[in-house]
Amino acid sequence: MSASTSTTVDFWFDPSCPWAWMTSRWVDEVAQHRDLSVTWHVMSLAVLNEDTDVSDDYRAFFPRALKYTRLVTAVAQLHGQTFVKPLYDALGTRIHPGGSKDPDAVIPAALDEVGLDRDLARYADSDEYDEQMRASHFDGINRVGQDVGTPVIAIEDVAFFGPVISPAPKGDEALTLWDGVVAAASYPGFFELKRSRTADPQFD
């Protein structure tokens, strides 16, 4: 695929996931040099793991993560898709490089940053838009199967989990990785390429 050809990309993220955050920064970097049309969608680690056997420590993280997915879903429903990425950026900057584990601090500040009413914070504790949140989640996850996590990326309707990267590459390295992923996605018989993680998320 040439650099001059517009590429349709769909990206599913849980705002709480550091690995999705790293991958989203890479996509942002690539979008400065490639003609990408990216649509951002919510998925939920809480929903993904609701029927799985995970550690108590990991399960204790889900209520906090669910607040963010519910908030982004509500904003998308009430104010439109154009607010999804700016809100994700505002939340993620505070959660990941900012290191905040307090949704009651993160959410109002993020809403302020994107110019939305703080009253929307109430949707973080509401199941009013759970049907839409779950529909978005399963739209992404059903494209790749249940034995994966976040992020999920679809390039021209070919979806996969990942890539899981740390740190997010920049410049030529970002473009080299992107072109490799696009090449892999272009082959319908490509399914999996994986190795064990040897590094934690490294934020700028």
Side-chain angles (χ1 to χ4, degrees):
M1 188 173 296
S2 70
S4 61
T5 302
S6 181
T7 303
T8 299
V9 180
D10 288 274
F11 191 112
W12 283 264
F13 64 93
D14 184 310
S16 294
C17 178
W19 299 105
W21 178 255
M22 301 297 295
T23 307
S24 72
R25 301 310 93 183
W26 165 64
V27 171
D28 281 351
E29 175 74 10
V30 173
Q32 297 181 44
H33 307 280
R34 294 283 192 269
D35 185 5
L36 306 185
S37 176
V38 186
T39 304
W40 302 84
H41 311 269
V42 164
M43 64 180 294
S44 170
L45 288 171
V47 173
L48 183 68
N49 291 282
E50 60 188 357
D51 296 320
T52 61
D53 183 17
V54 299
S55 70
D56 290 341
D57 286 346
Y58 189 37
R59 192 166 295 282
F61 151 81
F62 295 151
R64 183 170 79 244
L66 194 57
K67 287 176 180 283
Y68 298 128
T69 55
R70 282 175 163 167
L71 175 68
V72 176
T73 302
V75 166
Q77 294 298 310
L78 295 169
H79 294 280
Q81 176 67 32
T82 57
F83 279 95
V84 171
K85 179 57 161 52
L87 183 57
Y88 177 34
D89 290 344
L91 292 168
T93 298
R94 291 164 173 81
I95 296 166
H96 302 301
S100 178
K101 300 185 186 307
D102 182 5
D104 292 335
V106 168
I107 288 173
L111 289 170
D112 284 348
E113 181 177 322
V114 299
L116 291 170
D117 194 320
R118 282 192 173 198
D119 184 59
L120 289 165
R122 66 188 178 88
Y123 290 105
D125 297 304
S126 168
D127 63 1
E128 182 171 347
Y129 292 104
D130 276 13
E131 181 179 353
Q132 291 88 341
M133 182 265 289
R134 294 175 72 89
S136 177
H137 170 86
F138 286 111
D139 180 32
I141 208 70
N142 286 341
R143 301 181 190 214
V144 291
Q146 296 296 317
D147 55 341
V148 298
T150 174
V152 169
I153 298 181
I155 300 176
E156 301 291 354
D157 294 326
V158 177
F160 49 85
F161 161 57
V164 176
I165 51 178
S166 180
K170 293 181 170 58
D172 289 343
E173 285 187 330
L175 298 178
T176 297
L177 178 59
W178 177 260
D179 291 341
V181 168
V182 170
S186 70
Y187 177 60
F190 177 80
F191 297 107
E192 186 171 349
L193 181 68
K194 185 174 182 179
R195 63 174 179 165
S196 297
R197 294 197 297 262
T198 59
D200 292 328
Q202 299 174 38
F203 307 119
D204 290 337

